[in-house]
Amino acid sequence: MGTSQSREGQDLSDTDSEYHSGEEEEEEEEEFHYDAVERQETPQTTSSSKKTLDEVDSKLKSLKLKYPSNSQTTLNPVKLYLHVGGNTPNAKWILSDKLASYKFIKTNGSGDSDSEHDEKEGDGNSFWVLKVGSKVKARVSMEMQLKMFGDQRRVDFVNNGVWALKFFSDEEYRKFVSLFQDCLFENVHGLSATEENKLKVYSKEFIGWLKPEIADDSMWEDAVKEEEEEEPARVNEDLLEEFEEAANGGVQSLSLGALDNSFLVNDLGVQVFRNYNKGIHGKGICVKFDSNRSGGSSLEQSTPKKAMLMRAETNMMLMSPLKAGKPHSTGIEQLDIESGKIVTEWKFDKDGTDITMRDITNDTKGSQLDPSESTFLGLDDNRLCQWDMRDKRGIVQNIVKGGNSPVLNWSQGHQFSRGTNFQCFASMGDGSIVVGSLDGKIRLYSKTSMRQAKTAFPGLGSPITHVDVTYDGKWVLGTTDTYLILICTLFTDKDGETKTGFSGRMGNKIPAPRLLKLTPLDSHLAGANNKFHGGHFSWVTENGKQERHLVATVGKFSVIWDFQRVKNSSHDCYRNQQGLKSCYCYKIVLKDESIVESRFMHENYAVSDSPEAPLVVATPMKVSSISLSGKRSHG
């Protein structure tokens, strides 16, 4: 049915190798399988598949393999493994090189070797590359999806395949991780990884982002304790697909309603679905776009890429890009869902000049339920503002048929003179705003001021393509191409009061963020050109309620994390990690085509035997609803 769960693969086997000695070939061959995606119909794995690397090494010693007498004669010695078989039943690790040497090399812009790691000066166009023997040459980056297994002295990563390095000592393992992180810092920021440069990039307030061991993690711990008192976490919920049905094709976006209906926007129009406790089900209604679009004004006529519900979900604002591949728009169309007609085309105008927007969103996380809503938020590369559909006297503008498009009133906002490179934004329950930027920065604005961010979190080097925030504003989720970043905005002010970074400057005791990643194998299976998009919290619109899950999409995968587990510093993922904590505990929903969007329905549609409202997954041709059963399982 297309649901699956990611599971750690701990086993490397040296017996399936291109380096068999005569003694090896006389022994019975033993395989150790690695299932990155364990489907619910997959049989139980054999006991041999659960063997640890130490057991494998013990077996190898008993086979009397012809290893060199002293691995220390090789500079930076490692064992190199390659994963073969993808996610098939025959998937396994094979020994690719039983004694390889790794090194970090700085290359110039043409890719030629320039120097090795100790010679760290470059011309700004050079970058660090990891080279392992003759088989691996990878630019040091987050795209490698490096995963650490400190207890096994091992790292896994992606480079035209999935590789693993096994180190001969803890000291060698720690040395590699330290060098990798220094090279990554330099490749991202263009500065060598000195303490001075780290302070220059992150400032003393955020140095804990590079040294999480000195950051204040107490806010994460307090959040977990509060939720444990409220209700114990459910572990390993089963995924139950309730509905799957054909869409009209060419689906561009998904708009979930908290009331009766939800909507898919496609090339032809808006398809209407009815909301149920087990998901959304088509009503057989499609509001088709009029080819003339309200008399054929000058506004864009391409398929809308952004849809926003308003006025108790009876109206939808549709924004289309000016040009293919560019998100900017000079206006929006207002669709009356009940009549099925585009009733108005609005233009973005400031001081008599047409301007563009790249994104729009509701004033608050629940304001689409307000029947009298007349304002919404707008974002462009260097603009953050609120638009008002009323005129400056506060009167709803009447539209004369065949007349000029009405002009939205810029009610408040700011046009920044320097390049902020805003990419995306979201609002919380009280109207405060989080904005993500091309440089990776995430800024928090209070509902009273769009001119000056209360808090600006530094970037980790990857552009933020999507942001979300919990209803209470305590947690922010940023999406990048290769990982999600989860930020705790809580801090204690000088009077001992707990606040969020939306309401005040956070000072220097700022919690380190957490990263949500795919395992290297799942990342490889998702496809080199597939990127994370649309990371969301589940949806609540009431004070005191806490979101329970996070979901993001990559290729044909919808990836679901348990929010409480991500916050829990003591869970298995975080053991033996160096640097920022990375969480790999997730469920996967696998579809047969690339997913457009994955969102949890409103909490109104959670049923008593489920810990969460259904997940809705839209592909270009289908829409599916998946429930989390809440059934406890082991393994």
Side-chain angles (χ1 to χ4, degrees):
M1 75 182 180
T3 60
S4 55
Q5 179 183 359
S6 178
R7 184 170 64 83
E8 297 292 353
Q10 301 289 319
D11 313 313
L12 303 182
S13 169
D14 292 16
T15 55
D16 290 326
S17 165
E18 61 192 81
Y19 295 100
H20 289 299
S21 69
E23 291 170 296
E24 278 184 80
E25 290 167 355
E26 293 173 7
E27 297 289 332
E28 180 182 355
E29 184 168 313
E30 190 170 4
E31 294 184 353
F32 301 90
H33 294 278
Y34 174 92
D35 295 315
V37 180
E38 179 189 5
R39 286 171 178 72
Q40 293 180 347
E41 64 271 24
T42 301
Q44 291 294 318
T45 54
T46 63
S47 61
S48 67
S49 72
K50 297 183 182 299
K51 291 191 178 182
T52 66
L53 186 59
D54 290 337
E55 290 172 312
V56 177
D57 283 344
S58 177
K59 165 104 177 148
L60 292 170
K61 287 176 183 176
S62 72
L63 294 175
K64 299 178 182 178
L65 300 180
K66 295 178 181 177
Y67 283 105
S69 58
N70 185 1
S71 63
Q72 296 307 314
T73 60
T74 302
L75 184 65
N76 299 331
V78 289
K79 294 180 187 177
L80 176 66
Y81 297 82
L82 175 66
H83 189 271
V84 296
N87 60 354
T88 68
N90 296 321
K92 59 188 175 184
W93 290 99
I94 63 170
L95 182 63
S96 179
D97 193 337
K98 62 187 175 186
L99 186 61
S101 174
Y102 79 84
K103 55 185 175 181
F104 290 95
I105 299 172
K106 177 170 274 190
T107 69
N108 57 33
S110 64
D112 297 327
S113 295
D114 188 72
S115 64
E116 291 198 22
H117 188 275
D118 292 337
E119 302 171 34
K120 295 199 67 174
E121 297 304 317
D123 59 5
N125 294 319
S126 56
F127 53 85
W128 289 107
V129 168
L130 169 64
K131 193 170 185 298
V132 186
S134 62
K135 299 182 179 180
V136 172
K137 188 175 183 182
R139 179 170 179 157
V140 175
S141 67
M142 293 297 283
E143 284 73 18
M144 287 179 66
Q145 298 287 7
L146 187 90
K147 182 178 182 183
M148 305 171 201
F149 298 86
D151 55 336
Q152 299 182 57
R153 306 190 306 275
R154 163 187 165 194
V155 296
D156 294 2
F157 60 92
V158 178
N159 177 239
N160 298 319
V162 183
W163 302 87
L165 300 182
K166 167 75 175 175
F167 299 87
F168 291 94
S169 69
D170 288 336
E171 183 183 3
E172 285 288 340
Y173 166 79
R174 289 193 296 270
K175 171 186 169 186
F176 173 89
V177 171
S178 178
L179 288 174
F180 181 89
Q181 291 176 335
D182 282 353
C183 290
L184 179 62
F185 179 90
E186 186 168 347
N187 279 357
V188 167
H189 300 291
L191 300 167
S192 58
T194 63
E195 291 300 310
E196 182 183 2
N197 285 337
K198 290 175 183 178
L199 278 170
K200 186 184 298 184
V201 171
Y202 285 89
S203 77
K204 64 180 181 180
E205 286 87 358
F206 293 97
I207 197 65
W209 288 43
L210 277 177
K211 292 184 175 181
E213 64 276 6
I214 67 171
D216 180 8
D217 256 11
S218 60
M219 292 301 181
W220 293 91
E221 302 302 331
D222 292 346
V224 173
K225 288 175 185 174
E226 285 178 14
E227 291 190 24
E228 284 175 347
E229 291 172 6
E230 179 184 317
E231 183 178 347
R234 290 178 170 88
V235 181
N236 295 333
E237 298 95 346
D238 289 334
L239 301 177
L240 303 174
E241 189 158 312
E242 304 289 354
F243 301 138
E244 181 174 90
E245 56 187 300
N248 285 347
V251 171
Q252 299 289 338
S253 64
L254 168 68
S255 291
L256 293 179
L259 302 176
D260 293 337
N261 299 318
S262 290
F263 309 90
L264 288 178
V265 179
N266 60 29
D267 296 336
L268 299 176
V270 178
Q271 195 172 352
V272 185
F273 290 77
R274 180 66 186 262
N275 293 335
Y276 294 96
N277 286 335
K278 292 187 176 181
I280 67 173
H281 210 21
K283 296 175 71 170
I285 299 171
C286 182
V287 179
K288 293 192 175 180
F289 296 133
D290 185 343
S291 59
N292 292 321
R293 297 288 246 298
S294 255
S297 74
S298 60
L299 288 183
E300 307 90 282
Q301 304 299 313
S302 58
T303 302
K305 292 294 190 291
K306 175 75 178 182
M308 180 183 72
L309 289 169
M310 288 187 69
R311 295 185 174 174
E313 301 178 355
T314 62
N315 280 240
M316 180 182 285
M317 311 303 283
L318 299 166
M319 193 164 80
S320 305
L322 275 168
K323 298 176 182 176
K326 299 286 185 182
H328 306 82
S329 173
T330 57
I332 55 175
E333 297 170 313
Q334 182 179 348
L335 171 69
D336 184 288
I337 294 166
E338 293 173 343
S339 68
K341 295 186 180 300
I342 301 284
V343 294
T344 313
E345 292 184 350
W346 299 90
K347 293 176 72 175
F348 297 124
D349 176 284
K350 185 176 188 298
D351 301 328
T353 303
D354 289 349
I355 62 173
T356 60
M357 292 279 112
R358 68 179 297 135
D359 201 2
I360 54 173
T361 197
N362 298 98
D363 282 350
T364 73
K365 217 163 179 71
S367 61
Q368 71 185 57
L369 303 174
D370 179 0
S372 62
E373 183 183 26
S374 293
T375 59
F376 60 91
L377 302 173
L379 184 82
D380 206 25
D381 295 358
N382 299 309
R383 300 184 184 104
L384 175 62
C385 66
Q386 182 185 56
W387 293 107
D388 197 332
M389 298 161 70
R390 300 163 297 188
D391 65 20
K392 293 186 178 180
R393 296 167 296 168
I395 301 172
V396 176
Q397 301 182 58
N398 292 319
I399 312 308
V400 178
K401 190 171 182 180
N404 293 327
S405 295
V407 173
L408 291 160
N409 176 33
W410 173 295
S411 66
Q412 62 169 317
H414 188 64
Q415 185 159 319
F416 297 87
S417 57
R418 287 185 294 176
T420 50
N421 289 314
F422 292 152
Q423 296 289 295
C424 49
F425 71 152
S427 57
M428 58 174 276
D430 73 354
S432 298
I433 306 164
V434 55
V435 183
S437 297
L438 187 64
D439 59 4
K441 288 184 179 178
I442 293 178
R443 296 173 173 88
L444 310 183
Y445 294 86
S446 73
K447 61 182 178 180
T448 57
S449 174
M450 297 181 184
R451 178 177 293 271
Q452 181 72 42
K454 292 289 186 182
T455 302
F457 297 103
L460 297 178
S462 301
I464 303 295
T465 60
H466 188 272
V467 285
D468 197 10
V469 57
T470 55
Y471 187 81
D472 58 17
K474 294 178 181 178
W475 311 91
V476 167
L477 182 66
T479 304
T480 77
D481 289 350
T482 51
Y483 59 89
L484 308 183
I485 179 170
L486 180 65
I487 296 172
C488 176
T489 72
L490 292 169
F491 73 101
T492 303
D493 69 9
K494 60 184 179 182
D495 299 321
E497 186 179 347
T498 300
K499 293 181 177 179
T500 74
F502 290 96
S503 59
R505 183 175 175 82
M506 293 183 69
N508 54 16
K509 281 198 170 182
I510 297 174
R514 306 252 161 113
L515 303 183
L516 282 62
K517 296 181 180 178
L518 291 181
T519 64
L521 182 53
D522 282 345
S523 177
H524 181 62
L525 293 173
N529 296 321
N530 289 314
K531 302 170 182 177
F532 269 126
H533 62 92
H536 291 278
F537 294 102
S538 50
W539 188 16
V540 302
T541 56
E542 184 180 336
N543 280 319
K545 292 283 186 74
Q546 184 63 70
E547 294 80 354
R548 295 177 180 270
H549 291 87
L550 310 98
V551 63
T553 299
V554 55
K556 298 177 181 179
F557 295 166
S558 283
V559 191
I560 306 164
W561 283 266
D562 181 293
F563 192 11
Q564 188 171 352
R565 188 180 297 185
V566 174
K567 288 185 278 191
N568 185 355
S569 297
S570 62
H571 94 267
D572 289 347
C573 267
Y574 300 144
R575 293 177 186 168
N576 301 303
Q577 288 193 12
Q578 291 177 239
L580 294 177
K581 290 183 171 70
S582 296
C583 183
Y584 300 91
C585 293
Y586 49 77
K587 293 265 190 177
I588 283 177
V589 176
L590 175 62
K591 290 298 173 186
D592 56 7
E593 58 179 339
S594 291
I595 296 169
V596 175
E597 196 163 1
S598 306
R599 295 282 304 275
F600 281 101
M601 294 179 69
H602 190 271
E603 60 177 332
N604 288 346
Y605 292 96
V607 293
S608 58
D609 62 344
S610 174
E612 190 63 89
L615 176 72
V616 178
V617 179
T619 69
M621 300 302 293
K622 292 179 183 176
V623 60
S624 306
S625 301
I626 294 101
S627 293
L628 279 64
S629 72
K631 177 182 175 183
R632 289 181 182 272
S633 62
H634 301 281

